[in-house]
Amino acid sequence: MNAGETARLKRLAAGYAIERVAPFEDVTGLASALVRRYLLTFEDSLDGYAASWNASTEEPNGCTWPEWDEVGTDVKARYVGLEVAQCAVAMLDRIASSETDIHDVMPDAWEVGR
C-alpha cells in the first residue's frame, strides 16, 4: 500500500469504528478518543490484519472470502474498523469494572498545598 491508500484506509476505518462505538459514547467522548488513539499506529498492524483476515476467510457455512490482497479498501477498512471498535469497547469495559476502586486511595489534605 502506498501512503495515499494507507491514509484512505485509516480515514474509512475511523469512520466505521466511530459508528460502531456510537452506542457506547457518552458526554466524555471517551469511546471515540480510544478509537483515535488506537488508529494512531494502526499502520504497524497492517500485516497482522492481513494475516488475521486470511486465517478467517472461511465462514461456518463453508463459503470462503477472498484473500486480503484481493479485497478493496472499503472492505479492509470495515475489518480494521471492527477490530478497533472491539478494542475500544473492551477498554471501556475494563475502565468501568475498575472505576469503583479508584477512589480507595484518597489524598492527604496537606497534599493540596504542593
Side-chain angles (χ1 to χ4, degrees):
M1 285 187 128
N2 64 38
E5 292 170 330
T6 302
R8 182 168 181 259
L9 175 61
K10 183 177 182 177
R11 187 178 61 255
L12 290 172
Y16 295 134
I18 294 291
E19 184 180 314
R20 287 267 185 169
V21 299
F24 303 93
E25 193 67 89
D26 61 12
V27 294
T28 67
L30 184 55
S32 56
L34 286 168
V35 166
R36 288 190 306 277
R37 188 245 182 262
Y38 295 149
L39 283 171
L40 285 176
T41 57
F42 95 104
E43 292 96 339
D44 298 339
S45 301
L46 284 176
D47 289 339
Y49 287 120
S52 177
W53 171 274
N54 289 339
S56 62
T57 57
E58 189 170 325
E59 293 181 17
N61 64 5
C63 294
T64 303
W65 283 65
E67 295 288 317
W68 180 260
D69 291 334
E70 296 173 18
V71 296
T73 303
D74 189 62
V75 174
K76 290 176 183 175
R78 286 181 183 275
Y79 189 70
V80 171
L82 176 59
E83 193 272 338
V84 168
Q86 289 173 336
C87 289
V89 170
M91 184 55 72
L92 288 171
D93 287 344
R94 288 181 185 160
I95 291 169
S97 69
S98 65
E99 260 186 337
T100 57
D101 300 334
I102 64 171
H103 295 291
D104 288 350
V105 182
M106 298 299 279
D108 292 323
W110 59 267
E111 291 181 280
V112 172
R114 276 200 212 168

